[in-house]
Each structure stands twice: as C-alpha cells, then as structure tokens.
Amino acid sequence: AQSVTQLDSHVSVSEGTPVLLRCNYSSSYSPSLFWYVQHPNKGLQLLLKYTSAATLVKGINGFEAEFKKSETSFHLTKPSAHMSDAAEYFCVVREGYQKVTFGTGTKLQVIP
Amino acid sequence: SQTIHQWPATLVQPVGSPLSLECTVEGTSNPNLYWYRQAAGRGLQLLFYSVGIGQISSEVPQNLSASRPQDRQFILSSKKLLLSDSGFYLCAWSLGQSATNEKLIFGSGTQLSVM
C-alpha cells in the first residue's frame, strides 16, 4: 500500500529566505511523485513531477524537489521565498495509473 | 483541448437530504476519474477512482457512493447526508493506462455545507 507523509502542517519563513517542505512516502512499487500547490480560493496546480528521468526535478516558480530513494523522501525546496508563494502544498504519490494519494498538506506562510 | 466541468460550485443541504455532484470531462476518452474531499485541516482525501465505465473503487468507508454511467461522466452521490459530509469536493481526471506519470487535472470544486 502506498502512503504519503508531509511532516509539517505549517511552515513559516521570511521573504527572501529558503523554503523547505518535507515529504516522505511509502510504496510497494516505483512510484511517480508530484507536488501540487493550492492558492486561497483557487484550484490545484501542478508544481513539478518526478518521472524517474532525473532525481532533481525543477518545477514552476523556482521550486525544485529531489527524489531520494534511500530516504524515501521527495522534499520541495526554493532558494528564496516570495510573498506570492504563500499557499498550501500537497505531496502526491501515484502507483501505476490508478491510485493517486495526497499528503495532508503543508501551509506555507511568508512573512514580509 | 481537454476540459473538466464540475457543478454546482456551492451547495447547502440539510442533514438527511440526498446529494448528487456531477463531473464531466471533454476532449479525451477513457480517462481515469477521481473524487477527492478536502476537509478543513485534513488535506485531500481520495474517495473514489474509476478506470472505466461502471468500474468504481472506493478508498474509504463512508456515506457516499460514486457512479460512472458514461465514459466521461463521474457522479458522487449520497442518499442521506450527514453533517460530517461537509467539505470541499474535487473531481479530477488523468490519462489512462499508458500514462503512468501523467498529472491530475482538477475541476473547480464544490463547497458542500450540510446543516
């Protein structure tokens, strides 16, 4: 069975400082991994996805994530936070083409 | 191009009343279809997914049911709503069997308040 754990429900950073949102997963197979972002009153948007081609994945808005199989982690990072990054972020694991499981989400607060 | 339609956008229903939320996808065939619920502070929970007409997999025991009467139509239902059914419901689709890494495309969601 697959599962996703987002280790922090809330993360607060100052504008211009690095962002780290943590995600650990478990899966019986080689999963596909994604990060989605949900801004207030808006839908879910795909940030990036891991497709096994490269362990370091670059996404939109300067975000990137590194797949570490030995640690079963897929943490999301950004070198410098911007006010517009304030949102809720979801780590997602997908096995095969059917089952897609979301983490419980991490709310990112950016302090000016 | 592919689009996904979900309605209604908001719904207020009394406890014990029935529910029907509809989701349709255009511009693709044989999609995988999903219903998620986002409850406050609890992230996104997968309720049902479907890989074809009449094929429904339920992820959690609950008061809800899902049906897929047509290839691109996915319906979420309840015979009698509970207060705990309140939440934000999202329909989503992705490509089918050949696309193991394909992303989910979400509908705009339905905010359901059961009172």
Side-chain angles (χ1 to χ4, degrees):
Chain A
Q2 63 185 26
S3 67
V4 181
T5 303
Q6 289 185 244
L7 297 159
D8 307 293
S9 59
H10 290 84
V11 170
S12 183
V13 301
S14 298
E15 189 176 17
T17 64
V19 176
L20 170 64
L21 305 183
R22 297 182 293 168
C23 172
N24 286 94
Y25 71 93
S26 67
S27 175
S28 303
Y29 307 98
S30 296
S32 301
L33 296 164
F34 307 78
W35 275 98
Y36 281 79
V37 59
Q38 186 177 30
H39 289 274
N41 301 316
K42 292 189 178 180
L44 283 149
Q45 179 184 23
L46 179 67
L47 267 182
L48 49 82
K49 60 181 179 180
Y50 167 68
T51 60
S52 76
T55 56
L56 183 62
V57 182
K58 294 187 183 298
I60 61 172
N61 301 333
F63 283 93
E64 60 183 36
E66 186 172 7
F67 173 69
K68 292 186 177 180
K69 187 175 181 178
S70 61
E71 299 177 8
T72 60
S73 69
F74 191 56
H75 301 334
L76 182 71
T77 61
K78 184 174 180 177
S80 176
H82 191 272
M83 292 300 295
S84 61
D85 294 328
E88 189 162 18
Y89 293 79
F90 294 93
C91 182
V92 181
V93 62
R94 178 178 182 175
E95 284 185 355
Y97 57 89
Q98 296 181 352
K99 190 169 177 179
V100 182
T101 302
F102 279 68
T104 50
T106 299
K107 289 187 177 177
L108 175 65
Q109 179 186 22
V110 182
I111 302 169
Chain B
S1 63
Q2 302 97 346
T3 56
I4 179 168
H5 302 281
Q6 185 181 341
W7 68 93
T10 59
L11 190 59
V12 180
Q13 292 283 99
V15 170
S17 64
L19 172 73
S20 180
L21 302 181
E22 189 162 343
C23 173
T24 59
V25 180
E26 296 177 358
T28 187
S29 60
N30 197 30
N32 296 326
L33 296 170
Y34 306 82
W35 277 111
Y36 285 89
R37 176 170 57 203
Q38 186 176 28
R42 296 183 61 185
L44 272 165
Q45 181 185 35
L46 177 62
L47 301 177
F48 301 95
Y49 68 92
S50 170
V51 299
I53 296 174
Q55 300 179 59
I56 308 295
S57 296
S58 175
E59 286 300 295
V60 293
Q62 59 197 302
N63 183 44
L64 302 168
S65 62
S67 62
R68 186 170 176 174
Q70 300 180 44
D71 180 45
R72 288 169 286 180
Q73 184 184 28
F74 204 25
I75 298 172
L76 185 69
S77 305
S78 173
K79 293 182 179 179
K80 288 185 178 181
L81 283 168
L82 305 172
L83 287 174
S84 57
D85 292 325
S86 294
F88 189 60
Y89 290 82
L90 285 160
C91 178
W93 74 275
S94 68
L95 291 177
Q97 298 184 19
S98 63
T100 57
N101 296 320
E102 196 54 48
K103 63 183 179 182
L104 286 171
I105 306 295
F106 284 88
S108 53
T110 297
Q111 183 64 54
L112 173 64
S113 299
V114 182
M115 312 185 80

